[in-house]
Amino acid sequence: MVRTRLELLSTELAEEKERLLTQLVLGLAALFFIGLGIIFAALFLTVVLWDSHRLLALGMFTVLFLGLGIAALVAAAKFARTQPKLFAASLAELSKDQDHLSSRL
């Protein structure tokens, strides 16, 4: 019975590792390309407005980027707080086993 529980724990650990690695790679790729696109869009609009409102354009982009960065930070913190407990299935099974063994004694 202990072996089965350890195998379950090992499987959950491997799945969690793979999920986190995939999420990290995809997230970094998305951040890189979206960031690059945003920078080029900001540069394009600043150059378009260079003769008339360049300081306004630069100020607006600064406020926008800082606001989006803060919003992303808040969302990341919320996401981290709402993640399911690691090894929840294994801990639940071990608790059931413990209750089962306690009732037999």
Side-chain angles (χ1 to χ4, degrees):
M1 185 165 52
V2 172
R3 180 181 173 162
T4 303
R5 300 306 179 225
L6 289 175
E7 287 174 359
L8 176 62
L9 183 65
S10 173
T11 301
E12 283 186 359
L13 184 59
E15 288 174 353
E16 185 69 16
K17 178 183 169 186
E18 183 178 329
R19 185 188 72 80
L20 286 174
L21 185 60
T22 301
Q23 188 176 11
L24 178 67
V25 169
L26 292 175
L28 287 175
L31 285 174
F32 176 76
F33 290 115
I34 290 172
L36 203 57
I38 289 172
I39 288 169
F40 276 105
L43 287 173
F44 174 76
L45 290 174
T46 301
V47 169
V48 167
L49 298 171
W50 191 259
D51 290 333
S52 58
H53 299 96
R54 67 179 169 261
L55 292 178
L56 177 64
L58 290 171
M60 288 176 55
F61 284 124
T62 300
V63 170
L64 175 68
F65 294 154
L66 288 175
L68 290 173
I70 291 169
L73 187 61
V74 169
K78 183 179 178 183
F79 180 76
R81 285 191 305 269
T82 60
Q83 286 296 308
K85 188 174 179 183
L86 189 60
F87 307 124
S90 294
L91 292 173
E93 289 300 320
L94 286 172
S95 179
K96 286 181 191 176
D97 292 345
Q98 184 180 10
D99 291 343
H100 183 70
L101 288 173
S102 295
S103 67
R104 287 185 169 218
L105 298 175

